[in-house]
Amino acid sequence: MKVIVPPIKSQGIKTKLVPWIMDLAPKVHGRWIEPFLGTGVVAFNSGYKKAILNDTNPHIINFYKGIQQKKITAPLMKQYLEQEGALLSKAGNNGYEHYLKVRSRFNSGEFSPYDFIFLSRAGFNGMMRFNKKGHWNIPFCKKPERFAQAYVTKITNQVSSVSQIIQVEPDWTFHNKSFAEIIPLATENDIMYCDPPYYGRHVDYFNGWTEEDEELLFNLLSETKAKFILSTWHHNDWRQNEMIEKYWSKFNVVTKDHFYHNGGSIENRRTVVEALVCNFNTDHFILHNHGLKEKTKLEQLEIDWAT
């Protein structure tokens, strides 16, 4: 499967996991629904002509609405990045002065979707993080030549690819609401993919995420008539995700090793066992469930010891 990569970049992007997710997802006659859109990489590879897409981060929604409404285009993005990239390469303090200028302009309330892309691509480690005031607060990546022609072309092509996928309203609708307002919109003919912030892990997101949020999400997904897939983490080298046992183990759970390259901490740059939780039959799917594998090993050891 050739994965279409979106122009928005962030820590935890599901680009490499898209084939796995789509292999599991059953085909339905209704809509593709995402209460936590994030970068949009899964939605843009879903193949659905009708979708409800939501995120609490208004900058993500405004950006994709801009593409949908043809206010943001590949040629305009190319022109913008070439201009800002040239200024960045010539700015004082190894480019940092211009980065601060763009960040200040964005945080002053202009919230330009073009500046949003600049900051997400010129920020440290491809992270996306906002403070309690809603201001961008990721430091500069310290690469004044960041927007070389090849990189500008890459981003421009991503904008072009996404613009050909996003359907006009009302077939695709974008919302900036709480996930609790979106999930009840799903019907039995729809499929819903949820990629909320990972509880207990230091990941970037526009809002925080608490156990109360996790419990609310669990309750809403327990009641939905739609088929759903939830992305979360299962365990890493240090600990288990306690939410799996507490909430999600009542559903079907499949797992897969995944390495995160992004992140400011060492913990976020190690292999994490990803989990997909779903409310439909997974007999056709390779579980790769680490818990089951370990249990099988222990049972085999007991047999060997007994014999």
Side-chain angles (χ1 to χ4, degrees), residues 17-78:
L17 294 175
V18 164
W20 183 50
I21 295 167
M22 297 314 303
D23 281 348
L24 179 65
K27 296 298 181 184
V28 300
H29 298 295
R31 301 163 296 184
W32 180 268
I33 299 176
E34 289 200 33
F36 310 88
L37 180 61
T39 66
V41 67
V42 181
F44 300 143
N45 288 277
S46 68
Y48 282 80
K49 299 299 183 183
K50 293 187 177 182
I52 297 176
L53 306 173
N54 175 75
D55 203 279
T56 55
N57 186 328
H59 310 298
I60 290 173
I61 298 304
N62 288 340
F63 179 76
Y64 287 131
K65 272 189 173 181
I67 291 179
Q68 184 184 48
Q69 297 165 357
K70 310 301 182 185
K71 295 177 180 177
I72 299 173
T73 66
L76 288 175
M77 181 59 73
K78 181 175 185 292

Side-chain angles (χ1 to χ4, degrees), residues 60-157:
I60 290 173
I61 298 304
N62 288 340
F63 179 76
Y64 287 131
K65 272 189 173 181
I67 291 179
Q68 184 184 48
Q69 297 165 357
K70 310 301 182 185
K71 295 177 180 177
I72 299 173
T73 66
L76 288 175
M77 181 59 73
K78 181 175 185 292
Q79 180 182 354
Y80 167 85
L81 291 178
E82 287 177 345
Q83 174 183 310
E84 297 299 327
L87 293 171
L88 183 73
S89 66
K90 299 174 184 176
N93 197 10
N94 208 24
Y96 189 51
E97 287 184 6
H98 187 64
Y99 178 80
L100 288 178
K101 181 180 179 180
V102 176
R103 190 175 72 177
S104 177
R105 182 171 69 201
F106 181 82
N107 287 339
S108 69
E110 290 188 21
F111 300 134
S112 161
Y114 290 97
D115 285 347
F116 175 57
I117 292 298
F118 174 91
L119 292 170
S120 71
R121 293 300 185 128
F124 174 73
N125 245 339
M127 298 175 69
M128 187 190 304
R129 187 179 66 213
F130 298 83
N131 61 25
K132 292 181 179 179
K133 294 182 179 180
H135 293 166
W136 183 275
N137 68 347
I138 294 295
F140 181 41
C141 68
K142 298 181 180 179
K143 297 178 180 178
E145 304 294 334
R146 180 66 163 169
F147 296 97
Q149 190 59 53
Y151 195 56
V152 170
T153 299
K154 180 179 180 179
I155 299 170
T156 301
N157 289 342

Side-chain angles (χ1 to χ4, degrees), residues 4 66 98 109 125 128 144 224 227 239 262 266 284:
I4 296 159
H98 187 64
N125 245 339
M128 187 190 304
T224 186
K227 291 181 172 62
R239 56 198 172 95
N262 293 333
I266 296 298
H284 68 292

Side-chain angles (χ1 to χ4, degrees), residues 258-276:
H258 182 57
F259 187 85
Y260 282 103
H261 295 275
N262 293 333
S265 67
I266 296 298
E267 181 178 7
N268 285 347
R269 296 190 187 191
R270 296 288 296 275
T271 297
V272 173
V273 176
E274 287 283 314
L276 296 181

Side-chain angles (χ1 to χ4, degrees), residues 279-290:
N279 63 345
F280 49 83
N281 190 288
T282 58
D283 289 347
H284 68 292
F285 205 75
I286 298 174
L287 291 181
H288 188 198
N289 189 298
H290 287 251

